[in-house]
Amino acid sequence: MKYSHTRAVHAGREDFDALGVHVPPIDLSTTYPVRDLDTGTASFDALVGGAASAANPIYARLFNPTVARFERALAQLEGCSDAVAFASGMAAASACLLAARQRGSHVLAVRPLYGTHDHLLESGLMGLPVRWVEAEAIGDEVRADTALVIIETPSNPTLDLVDIAAVVKAAGKVPVLVDSTFATPVLQQPVLQGARLVMHSATKFLGGHGDVIAGVVACDAEWAVLLRQVRAATGGLLHPLAAYLLHRSLPTLALRVERAQANAITLAQRLSTHAAVAKTFFPSLGTVANAHLLGTQMLGPGTMISFDLKGGHAAAAQLMRKVKVATPAVSLGSVDTLIQHPAGLTHRVLDEATRERHSITPGLVRLSVGIEDVEDLWADLQQALSA
Ligand SMILES: *Cc1c(COP(=O)(O)O)cnc(C)c1O
């Protein structure tokens, strides 16, 4: 499905004319009047059972119209019938695991995953033990009682691509969850490759301005019911103000991603020949696994660059101290450029051996490229690298 800029601008706004409004109304009600008890009871049953809406919203843990608007819009951008939004990316991941418990006894997951996602699976907190596998070995490892296969592509922080279609084929009947946070629906729509669940930390590109923590899972109607049941029971809700901000950011998602990507392509090329840099990880440089999926599974290389500094930890620390345009901070996908040190921050929870195995070395730095002028970004990196 070609990404539709028209849909991005208009999705979730279909009833504005009838409402007589031009921007989404924000509904902050926590409860709703129940004048007709029979309708109220039927609505309660429907929503607790995972329905997308009901005649009466009853209570905001069960339904919120502002959140539902964002969900409908995001579902359309991913080519899915439904989406379910959560208080954070990790709340979304937790809900997927809780829902998956109904269909199996363990999950298969491919490393590397986002550090806290790895930690959540490894901890067994959600009651589903994890077996870590190579993507190529999923066909051998998958069992009838495997609840879920979990992958992330592009992966964090080394931007390896995982072949979604191949994983889906190997997984057979077992649903595949793709953490597509780094790609956004602009560059990749995993359902086209057969994924059942597409997860985003909406905190990143979907929000895009560094002011919202949120998560969302785009999926089919069957999974949406399961996820809404879990959300109604566990309460990992997205606040309506956050949903409003996310919905407002969707029309500019492609503009932000495309502009940041153009900057990233230039910066990655220059970094790859910089004297202080040992290796630059960026899909279109061919320095990541499965770079051949560029142009098919993933339409462009994205906006994230990781690079390994010859000077190791000390050089990485200096870079974070000296940048002036970029902000030294975790997170990603904002309009402004962020730079961080995976071994010291985001991937701290992995043990050292696992970090080394996945190229998360003391000199590795991850850059989330923003939409500033590329020459200002390059000048900033140059002065910080040579300081
Ligand atoms: C940030 C992130 C998460 C976690 O999302 P939160 O919104 O921080 O809970 C999960 N996966 C990826 C790839 C991320 O970047």
Side-chain angles (χ1 to χ4, degrees):
M1 184 186 78
K2 197 167 166 293
Y3 183 84
S4 163
H5 296 263
T6 305
R7 214 177 288 128
V9 173
H10 293 286
R13 296 157 200 259
E14 296 81 2
D15 59 349
F16 279 14
D17 228 30
L19 288 174
V21 299
H22 187 61
V23 296
I26 303 173
D27 186 340
L28 295 174
S29 307
T30 56
T31 191
Y32 295 85
V34 180
R35 197 64 66 187
D36 181 81
L37 184 55
D38 289 343
T39 308
T41 304
S43 297
F44 183 88
D45 287 349
L47 292 171
V48 170
S53 64
N56 189 318
I58 305 291
Y59 185 59
R61 182 157 38 70
L62 306 180
F63 180 83
N64 177 276
T66 312
V67 173
R69 285 181 181 288
F70 163 67
E71 292 172 333
R72 285 202 300 279
L74 193 272
Q76 287 186 45
L77 298 190
E78 285 290 359
C80 293
S81 66
D82 276 275
V84 185
F86 294 89
S88 69
M90 291 319 303
S94 307
C96 291
L97 291 172
L98 289 174
R101 283 181 68 164
Q102 299 179 29
R103 60 170 319 286
S105 69
H106 63 277
V107 300
L108 298 183
V110 177
R111 273 180 166 143
L113 290 182
Y114 178 75
T116 306
H117 202 177
D118 186 303
H119 184 61
L120 177 72
L121 291 169
E122 189 73 9
S123 72
L125 257 179
M126 294 295 130
L128 276 180
V130 61
R131 288 225 310 276
W132 297 106
V133 293
E134 300 293 325
E136 296 72 29
I138 287 171
D140 299 329
E141 298 286 337
V142 75
R143 305 277 177 270
D145 69 336
T146 302
L148 201 59
V149 171
I150 300 176
I151 61 173
E152 181 178 320
T153 181
S155 73
N156 183 13
T158 48
L159 307 171
D160 288 328
L161 306 187
V162 181
D163 188 335
I164 300 170
V167 167
V168 166
K169 187 155 179 274
K173 288 193 164 63
V174 177
V176 174
L177 179 153
V178 178
D179 184 337
S180 195
T181 299
F182 276 36
T184 82
V186 179
L187 299 178
Q188 162 177 297
Q189 292 147 23
V191 289
L192 296 181
Q193 267 76 41
R196 285 288 294 279
L197 299 157
V198 181
M199 184 194 121
H200 289 279
S201 168
T203 311
K204 315 296 166 53
F205 296 92
L206 301 184
H209 299 77
D211 53 5
V212 184
I213 294 256
V216 63
V217 182
C219 57
D220 52 38
E222 187 186 332
W223 269 94
V225 166
L226 296 176
L227 291 171
R228 286 192 212 102
Q229 286 172 352
V230 168
R231 187 179 61 182
T234 59
L237 304 177
L238 184 63
H239 192 274
L241 287 174
Y244 174 86
L245 288 172
L246 291 173
H247 198 178
R248 190 170 79 154
S249 290
L250 288 185
T252 58
L253 176 64
L255 299 181
R256 289 182 276 113
V257 168
E258 282 158 12
R259 160 84 185 193
Q261 177 173 259
N263 284 350
I265 290 168
T266 302
L267 294 179
Q269 269 158 0
R270 292 182 187 177
L271 282 166
S272 69
T273 58
H274 193 284
V277 177
K279 181 172 180 186
T280 305
F281 298 85
F282 191 65
S284 59
L285 291 177
T287 50
V288 307
N290 290 314
H292 68 274
L293 294 169
L294 263 194
T296 50
Q297 171 176 299
M298 188 157 158
L299 297 183
T303 75
M304 303 294 296
I305 307 169
S306 288
F307 51 102
D308 196 15
L309 293 169
K310 289 177 186 162
H313 184 276
Q318 174 193 291
L319 183 59
M320 287 189 57
R321 207 164 41 240
K322 296 287 183 189
V323 283
K324 295 194 181 84
V325 180
T327 300
V330 301
S331 199
L332 57 114
S334 185
V335 285
D336 60 313
T337 298
L338 303 175
I339 190 163
Q340 70 104 10
H341 185 250
L345 295 166
T346 51
H347 290 67
R348 193 84 205 136
V349 288
L350 306 191
D351 61 64
E352 200 176 327
T354 308
R355 285 204 298 266
E356 289 286 337
R357 198 160 56 245
H358 293 288
S359 307
I360 305 169
T361 52
L364 190 76
V365 173
R366 189 190 75 187
L367 192 64
S368 170
V369 179
I371 63 171
E372 299 95 333
D373 290 313
V374 70
E375 295 305 337
D376 290 337
L377 293 175
W378 179 240
D380 190 34
L381 287 174
Q382 269 188 311
Q383 65 79 23
L385 283 168
S386 65

